[in-house]
Amino acid sequence: GAGVSQSPSNKVTEKGKDVELRCDPISGHTALYWYRQSLGQGLEFLIYFQGNSAPDKSGLPSDRFSAERTGGSVSTLTIQRTQQEDSAVYLCASSFAAGGETQYFGPGTRLLVL
Amino acid sequence: QKEVEQDPGPLSVPEGAIVSLNCTYSNSAFQYFMWYRQYSRKGPELLMYTYSSGNKEDGRFTAQVDKSSKYISLFIRDSQPSDSATYLCAMRSNFGNEKLTFGTGTRLTIIP
């Protein structure tokens, strides 16, 4: 079956512009996660959605970052007023349920802020 | 100090060698331990998943967890050029705390 998909695969933007990154989780997966992977930093947790529960936003680095998940499926990560330090690979993962289920990752969106 | 420490490498070994990859961690609440493999410009894919201390074997891969030492390992036997990738350890605490905490990854190259 189809895996986690993300779009765009690459995004180049100018400092100060807003960007939207999209994630389509695996069908039937109720949990969705966003991570950021910076060079030499490993993967950093950003936000977690589980069903209709309030999202865990504890990893968002600033109020310029926000995410939503519509209809329990597709998710959008928005970065407002982008800064050069936002340049990274943004990875989305989904799992069948909470509670230790395997997280399946998408290919990521490579964001470059000039 | 980071919660999870992993030597970034790079690590180069000849084909057929046994590879040992390791992570240490400081948070004693971690209960679930994973190894992910990430090829260049791809997302991480799960290799091994273990709960608490002990060993788990899957084909050429063996994962070890020593919670008393806060140390986890991944061994790759009969290494192949296709094993060349970045290997990430990840861990999480008990049910209800879903986020994974990752190491920085070790870049591995298997030389034919």
Side-chain angles (χ1 to χ4, degrees):
Chain A
V4 177
S5 61
Q6 293 186 246
S7 61
S9 53
N10 295 280
K11 177 71 176 180
V12 181
T13 190
E14 293 179 348
K15 178 181 173 181
K17 295 286 180 67
D18 297 352
V19 295
E20 284 190 354
L21 313 179
R22 177 186 168 104
C23 172
D24 279 277
I26 294 172
S27 178
H29 280 193
T30 60
L32 187 147
Y33 313 78
W34 283 97
Y35 293 86
R36 177 169 69 177
Q37 187 173 30
S38 305
L39 193 63
Q41 297 296 317
L43 273 78
E44 171 192 15
F45 167 79
L46 296 177
I47 189 169
Y48 157 64
F49 296 90
Q50 170 55 41
N52 296 321
S53 302
D56 176 356
K57 304 180 182 179
S58 61
L60 295 178
S62 77
D63 58 7
R64 296 186 296 105
F65 288 73
S66 63
E68 62 178 21
R69 188 177 185 193
T70 54
S73 182
V74 171
S75 177
T76 302
L77 177 69
T78 301
I79 309 173
Q80 295 178 310
R81 305 180 302 281
T82 52
Q83 303 295 311
Q84 288 182 331
E85 60 264 29
D86 299 333
S87 297
V89 177
Y90 289 82
L91 289 158
C92 176
S94 70
S95 64
F96 181 70
E101 293 287 337
T102 301
Q103 295 183 22
Y104 295 90
F105 282 83
T109 293
R110 284 154 189 80
L111 175 65
L112 177 61
V113 182
L114 299 176
Chain B
Q1 183 184 4
K2 293 180 180 178
E3 278 190 296
V4 180
E5 298 281 356
Q6 183 176 9
D7 186 339
L11 178 63
S12 295
V13 300
E15 182 175 356
I18 296 175
V19 176
S20 173
L21 304 168
N22 312 290
C23 288
T24 60
Y25 63 96
S26 57
N27 187 346
S28 58
F30 287 141
Q31 298 282 350
Y32 299 88
F33 304 91
M34 288 137 272
W35 286 95
Y36 282 83
R37 178 175 62 195
Q38 186 175 25
Y39 291 113
S40 181
R41 305 187 73 79
K42 301 288 186 182
E45 58 177 324
L46 183 67
L47 272 180
M48 301 289 283
Y49 185 112
T50 54
Y51 171 72
S52 195
S53 285
N55 295 355
K56 184 174 183 179
E57 186 174 322
D58 184 1
R60 296 185 296 111
F61 298 90
T62 299
Q64 288 186 349
V65 175
D66 181 350
K67 290 187 66 182
S68 64
S69 302
K70 297 187 177 66
Y71 187 88
I72 70 170
S73 301
L74 177 71
F75 297 96
I76 308 174
R77 292 185 299 280
D78 187 24
S79 55
Q80 304 295 310
S82 59
D83 295 329
S84 298
T86 296
Y87 289 79
L88 300 147
C89 63
M91 46 200 80
R92 57 181 285 270
S93 59
N94 61 335
F95 186 93
N97 186 349
E98 308 301 331
K99 73 168 189 177
L100 295 178
T101 301
F102 282 83
T104 53
T106 299
R107 188 170 180 180
L108 172 68
T109 300
I110 306 299
I111 304 166

Coordinates of all heavy atoms in Angstrom, one line a residue, chain A residues 10 33 35 37 40-45 48 56 58 91 97-108 110, chain B residues 2 32 36 38-46 49 86 88 92 95-105:
Chain A
N10 N 10.9 19.6 -2.2 CA 11.9 20.6 -2.0 C 11.2 22.0 -2.0 O 10.3 22.2 -2.8 CB 13.0 20.6 -3.0 CG 13.9 19.4 -3.0 OD1 14.8 19.2 -2.2 ND2 13.6 18.4 -3.8
Y33 N 2.9 12.6 13.2 CA 3.9 13.3 13.9 C 4.7 14.1 12.9 O 4.9 13.7 11.7 CB 5.0 12.3 14.5 CG 4.4 11.2 15.3 CD1 3.8 10.1 14.6 CD2 4.4 11.2 16.7 CE1 3.3 9.0 15.3 CE2 3.9 10.1 17.4 CZ 3.3 9.0 16.7 OH 2.8 8.0 17.4
Y35 N 8.6 16.0 12.6 CA 9.9 16.1 13.1 C 10.7 17.0 12.2 O 10.4 17.2 11.0 CB 10.6 14.7 13.1 CG 10.1 13.7 14.1 CD1 9.0 12.9 13.7 CD2 10.6 13.6 15.4 CE1 8.5 12.0 14.6 CE2 10.1 12.6 16.3 CZ 9.0 11.8 15.9 OH 8.5 10.9 16.8
Q37 N 14.7 17.6 10.9 CA 16.1 17.1 10.8 C 17.1 18.1 10.3 O 17.0 18.4 9.1 CB 16.1 15.8 10.0 CG 17.4 15.1 10.0 CD 17.4 13.7 9.3 OE1 16.6 13.6 8.3 NE2 18.2 12.7 9.8
G40 N 23.6 17.5 11.5 CA 24.3 17.3 12.7 C 23.5 17.3 14.0 O 24.0 17.2 15.1
Q41 N 22.1 17.5 13.8 CA 21.3 17.6 15.0 C 20.4 16.4 15.2 O 19.7 16.4 16.2 CB 20.4 18.9 14.9 CG 21.2 20.1 14.8 CD 22.0 20.4 16.1 OE1 21.5 20.2 17.2 NE2 23.2 20.8 16.0
G42 N 20.3 15.5 14.3 CA 19.4 14.4 14.4 C 17.9 14.9 14.2 O 17.7 16.0 13.8
L43 N 17.0 14.0 14.5 CA 15.6 14.4 14.3 C 15.0 15.0 15.6 O 15.2 14.5 16.7 CB 14.7 13.1 14.0 CG 14.6 12.8 12.5 CD1 15.9 12.1 12.1 CD2 13.4 11.9 12.3
E44 N 14.3 16.1 15.5 CA 13.8 16.8 16.6 C 12.3 16.8 16.5 O 11.7 17.2 15.5 CB 14.3 18.3 16.5 CG 13.7 19.3 17.5 CD 14.1 20.7 17.1 OE1 14.6 20.9 16.0 OE2 13.9 21.6 18.0
F45 N 11.6 16.3 17.6 CA 10.2 16.3 17.6 C 9.6 17.7 17.6 O 10.0 18.6 18.2 CB 9.7 15.5 18.9 CG 8.3 15.7 19.2 CD1 7.3 14.9 18.5 CD2 7.8 16.6 20.1 CE1 6.0 15.0 18.8 CE2 6.5 16.7 20.5 CZ 5.6 15.9 19.8
Y48 N 2.6 16.4 17.6 CA 1.9 15.0 17.5 C 0.4 15.2 17.6 O -0.1 15.9 18.4 CB 2.5 14.2 18.7 CG 1.6 13.0 19.1 CD1 1.4 12.0 18.2 CD2 1.1 13.0 20.4 CE1 0.7 10.9 18.6 CE2 0.4 11.9 20.8 CZ 0.1 10.8 19.9 OH -0.6 9.7 20.3
D56 N -0.2 17.5 20.8 CA 1.0 17.8 21.6 C 1.9 18.7 20.9 O 2.6 18.3 20.0 CB 1.7 16.5 22.0 CG 2.9 16.7 22.8 OD1 3.3 17.8 23.1 OD2 3.5 15.7 23.2
S58 N 4.4 20.5 22.1 CA 5.5 20.8 23.0 C 6.9 21.0 22.3 O 7.8 21.6 22.8 CB 5.7 19.7 24.1 OG 5.9 18.5 23.5
L91 N 10.2 16.2 8.4 CA 9.7 14.8 8.2 C 8.4 14.6 8.9 O 8.2 15.0 10.0 CB 10.7 13.8 8.8 CG 12.0 13.7 8.0 CD1 13.2 13.1 8.9 CD2 11.8 12.8 6.8
A97 N -1.8 3.6 15.7 CA -2.5 4.1 16.9 C -1.4 4.6 17.8 O -0.2 4.5 17.6 CB -3.3 3.0 17.6
A98 N -1.8 5.2 18.9 CA -0.8 5.6 19.9 C -0.4 4.3 20.7 O -0.8 3.2 20.5 CB -1.4 6.6 20.9
G99 N 0.5 4.5 21.6 CA 0.9 3.4 22.5 C 2.0 2.5 21.9 O 1.9 1.3 22.0
G100 N 3.0 3.1 21.3 CA 4.2 2.3 21.0 C 4.1 1.7 19.6 O 5.0 0.9 19.2
E101 N 3.1 2.0 18.8 CA 3.1 1.5 17.5 C 4.2 2.1 16.6 O 4.7 3.2 16.9 CB 1.8 1.8 16.8 CG 0.6 1.1 17.4 CD 0.6 -0.4 17.1 OE1 1.2 -0.8 16.1 OE2 0.0 -1.2 17.9
T102 N 4.7 1.3 15.6 CA 5.7 1.7 14.8 C 5.4 3.0 14.0 O 4.3 3.1 13.5 CB 6.0 0.6 13.7 OG1 6.4 -0.6 14.4 CG2 7.2 1.0 12.8
Q103 N 6.3 4.0 14.0 CA 6.1 5.2 13.2 C 6.7 5.0 11.8 O 7.9 4.7 11.7 CB 6.7 6.4 14.0 CG 6.0 6.7 15.3 CD 6.6 7.9 16.0 OE1 7.2 8.7 15.4 NE2 6.4 7.9 17.3
Y104 N 5.9 5.3 10.8 CA 6.4 5.2 9.4 C 6.6 6.6 8.9 O 5.7 7.4 9.0 CB 5.4 4.4 8.6 CG 5.2 3.0 9.0 CD1 4.2 2.6 9.9 CD2 6.0 2.0 8.4 CE1 4.1 1.3 10.3 CE2 5.8 0.6 8.8 CZ 4.8 0.3 9.7 OH 4.7 -1.0 10.1
F105 N 7.8 6.8 8.4 CA 8.2 8.1 7.9 C 8.0 8.4 6.4 O 8.1 7.4 5.6 CB 9.7 8.4 8.3 CG 9.9 8.7 9.7 CD1 10.1 7.7 10.6 CD2 10.0 10.0 10.1 CE1 10.3 8.0 12.0 CE2 10.3 10.3 11.5 CZ 10.4 9.3 12.4
G106 N 7.7 9.6 6.1 CA 7.7 10.0 4.7 C 9.1 10.4 4.3 O 10.0 10.4 5.1
P107 N 9.2 10.8 3.0 CA 10.5 11.1 2.5 C 11.0 12.5 2.9 O 12.2 12.8 2.8 CB 10.3 11.1 1.0 CG 8.9 11.4 0.8 CD 8.2 10.8 2.0
G108 N 10.1 13.3 3.4 CA 10.6 14.6 3.9 C 10.4 15.8 2.9 O 10.3 15.5 1.7
R110 N 12.5 19.2 2.0 CA 13.8 19.9 2.2 C 13.5 21.4 2.0 O 13.2 21.8 0.9 CB 14.9 19.4 1.3 CG 15.4 18.1 1.7 CD 16.0 17.2 0.6 NE 16.3 15.9 1.1 CZ 15.4 14.9 1.3 NH1 14.1 15.2 0.9 NH2 15.7 13.8 1.7
Chain B
K2 N 22.9 16.2 25.6 CA 21.8 15.6 25.0 C 21.3 14.4 25.7 O 22.0 13.7 26.3 CB 22.1 15.3 23.5 CG 22.5 16.5 22.7 CD 22.8 16.0 21.2 CE 23.2 17.2 20.4 NZ 23.6 16.8 19.0
Y32 N 11.3 2.0 25.3 CA 11.2 1.4 24.0 C 12.4 2.0 23.2 O 12.7 3.2 23.2 CB 9.9 1.9 23.3 CG 8.7 1.4 24.1 CD1 8.1 2.2 25.0 CD2 8.1 0.2 23.7 CE1 7.0 1.7 25.7 CE2 6.9 -0.3 24.4 CZ 6.4 0.5 25.4 OH 5.3 0.1 26.1
Y36 N 16.6 3.0 13.3 CA 16.2 3.3 12.0 C 17.3 3.4 11.1 O 18.4 3.8 11.4 CB 15.5 4.7 12.0 CG 14.0 4.7 12.6 CD1 13.8 4.7 14.0 CD2 12.9 4.6 11.7 CE1 12.5 4.7 14.5 CE2 11.6 4.6 12.2 CZ 11.4 4.7 13.6 OH 10.2 4.7 14.1
Q38 N 18.4 5.2 7.4 CA 18.1 6.3 6.5 C 19.0 6.4 5.4 O 20.2 6.7 5.6 CB 18.0 7.6 7.3 CG 17.5 8.8 6.5 CD 17.3 10.1 7.3 OE1 18.0 10.3 8.3 NE2 16.4 10.9 6.8
Y39 N 18.5 6.1 4.2 CA 19.3 6.3 3.0 C 19.3 7.8 2.6 O 18.4 8.5 3.0 CB 18.8 5.5 1.8 CG 19.0 4.0 2.0 CD1 18.0 3.1 2.2 CD2 20.3 3.4 2.1 CE1 18.2 1.7 2.4 CE2 20.5 2.1 2.3 CZ 19.4 1.2 2.4 OH 19.6 -0.1 2.6
S40 N 20.3 8.2 1.8 CA 20.4 9.6 1.4 C 19.1 10.1 0.8 O 18.6 9.4 -0.1 CB 21.6 9.8 0.5 OG 21.7 11.1 0.1
R41 N 18.6 11.2 1.2 CA 17.4 11.9 0.7 C 16.2 11.1 0.8 O 15.2 11.2 0.0 CB 17.7 12.3 -0.8 CG 18.9 13.2 -0.9 CD 19.0 13.7 -2.3 NE 18.0 14.8 -2.6 CZ 18.2 16.0 -2.2 NH1 19.2 16.4 -1.5 NH2 17.2 16.9 -2.4
K42 N 16.1 10.2 1.8 CA 15.0 9.4 2.1 C 14.6 9.5 3.5 O 15.3 10.0 4.4 CB 15.2 7.9 1.8 CG 15.6 7.5 0.4 CD 14.5 7.7 -0.6 CE 14.9 7.2 -1.9 NZ 13.8 7.3 -2.9
G43 N 13.3 9.1 3.9 CA 12.9 9.1 5.3 C 13.5 7.9 6.0 O 13.8 6.9 5.4
P44 N 13.6 8.0 7.3 CA 14.0 6.9 8.1 C 13.1 5.7 8.0 O 11.9 5.9 7.9 CB 14.1 7.4 9.5 CG 14.0 8.9 9.4 CD 13.3 9.2 8.2
E45 N 13.6 4.5 8.0 CA 12.8 3.3 8.0 C 13.2 2.4 9.2 O 14.4 2.3 9.5 CB 13.0 2.5 6.7 CG 14.4 2.0 6.4 CD 14.5 1.2 5.2 OE1 13.6 0.4 4.9 OE2 15.5 1.3 4.5
L46 N 12.2 1.8 9.9 CA 12.4 1.1 11.1 C 13.1 -0.2 10.8 O 12.7 -1.0 9.9 CB 11.1 0.8 11.8 CG 11.2 0.1 13.1 CD1 11.9 1.0 14.2 CD2 9.9 -0.3 13.6
Y49 N 13.1 -3.0 16.8 CA 12.2 -2.4 17.8 C 12.3 -3.3 19.0 O 11.9 -4.4 18.9 CB 10.8 -2.2 17.3 CG 9.8 -1.5 18.2 CD1 9.3 -0.3 17.8 CD2 9.3 -2.1 19.4 CE1 8.4 0.4 18.6 CE2 8.4 -1.5 20.2 CZ 7.9 -0.2 19.8 OH 7.0 0.4 20.6
T86 N 22.8 6.0 6.9 CA 22.9 6.6 8.2 C 21.9 5.8 9.2 O 20.8 5.6 8.8 CB 22.5 8.1 8.2 OG1 23.4 8.8 7.4 CG2 22.5 8.6 9.7
L88 N 20.1 5.6 12.8 CA 19.6 6.4 13.9 C 19.1 5.6 15.0 O 18.2 4.7 14.8 CB 18.5 7.4 13.4 CG 18.9 8.3 12.2 CD1 17.7 8.5 11.3 CD2 19.4 9.6 12.8
R92 N 11.8 6.0 23.4 CA 10.7 6.8 24.0 C 10.3 6.2 25.4 O 10.7 5.0 25.7 CB 9.4 6.7 23.1 CG 9.0 5.3 22.7 CD 7.8 5.4 21.8 NE 6.6 5.8 22.5 CZ 5.7 4.9 23.1 NH1 5.9 3.7 23.1 NH2 4.6 5.4 23.7
F95 N 3.9 4.3 27.7 CA 2.7 4.5 27.0 C 2.1 5.9 27.4 O 2.1 6.2 28.5 CB 1.7 3.4 27.4 CG 0.4 3.5 26.6 CD1 0.2 2.8 25.4 CD2 -0.7 4.3 27.1 CE1 -1.0 2.9 24.7 CE2 -1.9 4.4 26.4 CZ -2.0 3.7 25.2
G96 N 1.7 6.7 26.4 CA 1.1 8.0 26.7 C 2.1 9.1 26.4 O 1.7 10.2 26.4
N97 N 3.4 8.8 26.2 CA 4.3 9.8 25.8 C 4.9 9.4 24.5 O 5.8 8.6 24.5 CB 5.4 9.9 26.9 CG 6.4 11.1 26.7 OD1 6.4 11.6 25.6 ND2 7.2 11.3 27.6
E98 N 4.4 9.9 23.4 CA 4.6 9.3 22.2 C 5.8 9.7 21.4 O 6.2 9.1 20.5 CB 3.4 9.5 21.3 CG 2.0 9.1 21.9 CD 2.0 7.7 22.3 OE1 2.7 6.9 21.6 OE2 1.3 7.3 23.2
K99 N 6.4 10.9 21.8 CA 7.5 11.4 20.9 C 8.7 10.5 21.0 O 9.0 10.0 22.1 CB 7.8 12.8 21.3 CG 8.5 13.0 22.6 CD 9.1 14.4 22.8 CE 10.0 14.5 23.9 NZ 10.6 15.9 24.0
L100 N 9.4 10.4 19.9 CA 10.6 9.7 19.9 C 11.8 10.7 20.1 O 11.7 11.8 19.5 CB 10.8 9.0 18.5 CG 9.9 7.9 18.2 CD1 10.2 7.3 16.8 CD2 10.0 6.8 19.2
T101 N 12.8 10.3 20.8 CA 14.0 11.1 21.0 C 15.1 10.3 20.2 O 15.3 9.2 20.5 CB 14.4 11.3 22.5 OG1 13.3 11.9 23.1 CG2 15.6 12.1 22.6
F102 N 15.7 11.0 19.3 CA 16.7 10.4 18.4 C 18.1 10.8 18.7 O 18.4 11.9 19.2 CB 16.4 10.9 16.9 CG 15.3 10.2 16.2 CD1 14.0 10.7 16.4 CD2 15.5 9.2 15.4 CE1 12.9 10.1 15.8 CE2 14.4 8.6 14.7 CZ 13.1 9.0 14.9
G103 N 19.0 9.9 18.4 CA 20.4 10.2 18.3 C 20.7 11.0 17.0 O 19.8 11.1 16.2
T104 N 21.9 11.5 16.9 CA 22.2 12.3 15.7 C 22.4 11.4 14.5 O 22.4 12.0 13.4 CB 23.4 13.2 15.9 OG1 24.5 12.3 16.4 CG2 23.2 14.2 17.0
G105 N 22.6 10.1 14.7 CA 22.8 9.2 13.5 C 24.3 9.0 13.3 O 25.1 9.9 13.5

